[in-house]
Amino acid sequence: DAVRQVESTVAELGQIFNQLAAMVSEQGELVERIDANVDESLLNIEEGRGQLLRYYNSLSSNRGLVLKIFATLFVFMIIWVLLA
C-alpha cells in the first residue's frame, strides 16, 4: 500500500513538473513578445523624436520669414493710419 502511495505521489509530481514546464514555456513566449514590443516602441520613440526635431528645425528656419511678414504688415498698417 505504501509503494502505491509513493507511486501515486511520484506520478502527481511528474504531472506538476509537466504543468510547470508548460507554464514556463508560455511565460517565455510572453517575455519574447514583450521584448519585441519594447524594441518596436523604442524605434517608434526614436522616429517620433526625429520628426519633432525636423519640425523644430523647420519652425526655426521659417521664423525669419514670419518676422518679415509681420514687419511688412505693421509698416503698411502705420502708413494706412497716417494717410487716413
Side-chain angles (χ1 to χ4, degrees):
D1 189 40
V3 173
R4 286 188 184 144
Q5 188 175 8
V6 169
E7 274 183 25
S8 173
T9 304
V10 169
E12 286 179 26
L13 283 174
Q15 289 176 352
I16 290 172
F17 279 115
N18 286 337
Q19 290 173 351
L20 183 62
M23 289 171 42
V24 168
S25 175
E26 289 174 8
Q27 289 178 355
E29 292 171 6
L30 287 174
V31 168
E32 288 176 10
R33 275 192 260 151
I34 290 170
D35 186 46
N37 288 339
V38 167
D39 290 342
E40 184 179 346
S41 296
L42 179 62
L43 292 175
N44 289 338
I45 289 170
E46 289 174 352
E47 178 65 28
R49 181 179 174 272
Q51 289 180 4
L52 285 173
L53 286 174
R54 283 193 297 274
Y55 179 70
Y56 176 75
N57 290 334
S58 171
L59 286 178
S60 297
S61 65
N62 290 334
R63 186 174 293 147
L65 177 63
V66 171
L67 289 174
K68 290 176 188 175
I69 291 172
F70 279 122
T72 304
L73 289 174
F74 185 69
V75 167
F76 279 120
M77 285 178 27
I78 290 176
I79 291 173
W80 184 69
V81 168
L82 292 176
L83 295 178

